[in-house]
DNA sequence: ACGGAAATGAGAATCATTGTCAACCCGCGG
DNA sequence: CCGCGGGTTGACAATGATTCTCATTTCCGT
C-alpha cells in the first residue's frame, strides 16, 4: 500500500459506473435494479444487468445509496439526499400525489433518537382510494 | 349471499391452519415462512410449504400478522402484538423496535383526506444506525 | 506500448415465493 | 349416518430477482 489511504475502497472508474451514478442522480424516486438497467439501455448505455447490481451494491456499501425492499421483495435504491417527499397513491387508478410533511419528518427523527438511533432515514407510503375512483 | 355478513372472510378451519397459528403464537420473534415450515415439520406437523405461505398470507390479509422484509429479501412474519405500529430498523445489526405514533397516524389520515382519498392505509419504515452499532 | 489486476457481460445457478391441479377434508342437507 | 359441493391441501412446475462463473475487455502504473 503506497499512498492510498484506507477507508472507502473506491472502485476503478468506468463508463458503466458513471452511467449508473448519473442515472441515479436524475431522480429522487426509488428505482429497482431492473428498472435502472432498462432505463440505461433505453438511453443508449449498453450495460449488463450483473454490472448494474454490482455498481448498486458498491454504492450502497459506501453509504451513498438508500436501499429498501418493496412489498414484493424487490430491492429499490435511491441516491442519498437531504430533500425528499412522500407519496400518496391511489390503489385503484394508481394516481400519485407528492406530499411533503414537516410533521412526520420531525416525528421520525425524534422517535429514532429516542431509541438511540443515528443517521436516520425513513420511507412513508400512503395508499388509499382517490376521490374519482 | 344469504345471511353471511360481509367483513372478515374467515377461512374454513383445518389442522394445518391451527398449527401455523399455534406456532406463531409460541414466539415473539419474526420467522420466515421457510423457518416456520421446517419447525412445523420438526414438531411432527406434516404440512406443505405452499400451505404455510397461504396461511401466512391469509393471516396477514386479516391484519393478524406483521410482515416485513429482511435485508436479503426474505419475508418474515410475527403475530401482531396489539395494534397498529411501525418499525425502526438498524441498518447494521437489523435490530427492530416497534414504535407507535398517534402523531403520524393522524397526519397520514389528514393529508390523505385533504386530497380526497378514502380507505387510507400507510407504511412507514425508519432506518438508522442503532446505539450499539 | 505492455502486463497484471480489476471490471464487465452473457448466461447459468440459486432461492424464496407463487401458480397449477388433482386428491382430500369439512360442514351441511337429506 | 351418508353423500355432496366446494374450500383446502400438497407435490411440483414456473416465475423472477439476485448472485455466481468465467472468458474477455478495460484501466492504470511502469
Amino acid at each position: 500500500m503506497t499512498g492510498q489511504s484506507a477507508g472507502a475502497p473506491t472502485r476503478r472508474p468506468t463508463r458503466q459506473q458513471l452511467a449508473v451514478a448519473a442515472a441515479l442522480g436524475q431522480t429522487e424516486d426509488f428505482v429497482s435494479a431492473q428498472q435502472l438497467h432498462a432505463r440505461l439501455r433505453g438511453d443508449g448505455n449498453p450495460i449488463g444487468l450483473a454490472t448494474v447490481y454490482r455498481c448498486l451494491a458498491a454504492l450502497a456499501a459506501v453509504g451513498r445509496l438508500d436501499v429498501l425492499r418493496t412489498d414484493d421483495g424487490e430491492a429499490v435504491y435511491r441516491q442519498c439526499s437531504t430533500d425528499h417527499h412522500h407519496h400518496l397513491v391511489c390503489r385503484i387508478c394508481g394516481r400519485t400525489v407528492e406530499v411533503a410533511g414537516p410533521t412526520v419528518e420531525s416525528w421520525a427523527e425524534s422517535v429514532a433518537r429516542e431509541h438511540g438511533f443515528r443517521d436516520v432515514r425513513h420511507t412513508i407510503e400512503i395508499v388509499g382510494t382517490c376521490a374519482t375512483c
Side-chain angles (χ1 to χ4, degrees), chain A:
Chain A
M1 35 127 162
T2 38
Q4 186 64 334
S5 64
T10 312
R11 306 180 79 209
R12 181 189 296 172
T14 64
R15 172 180 59 75
Q16 292 87 339
Q17 286 175 43
L18 295 175
V20 168
L24 283 167
Q26 292 180 336
T27 179
E28 287 191 356
D29 290 326
F30 280 95
V31 235
S32 71
Q34 307 277 347
Q35 293 175 324
L36 200 57
H37 178 230
R39 181 178 307 175
L40 285 167
R41 294 209 147 177
D43 292 353
N45 270 306
I47 185 173
L49 181 56
T51 303
V52 173
Y53 276 104
R54 275 186 294 244
C55 288
L56 289 173
L59 287 170
V62 191
R64 302 239 316 246
L65 289 185
D66 277 336
V67 189
L68 57 83
R69 298 270 175 177
T70 62
D71 282 342
D72 53 305
E74 198 178 10
V76 283
Y77 307 78
R78 180 184 64 180
Q79 187 179 222
C80 270
S81 79
T82 47
D83 165 86
H84 75 257
H85 54 258
H86 301 292
H87 292 115
L88 175 54
V89 190
C90 172
R91 66 162 64 83
I92 312 273
C93 67
R95 192 155 72 85
T96 300
V97 182
E98 287 186 2
V99 296
T103 315
V104 264
E105 303 301 325
S106 53
W107 170 79
E109 195 49 60
S110 62
V111 166
R113 192 146 29 195
E114 224 169 75
H115 289 276
F117 280 60
R118 289 165 288 114
D119 295 330
V120 187
R121 188 108 31 198
H122 61 256
T123 313
I124 301 181
E125 187 154 310
I126 310 180
V127 186
T129 308
C130 82
T132 57
C133 287

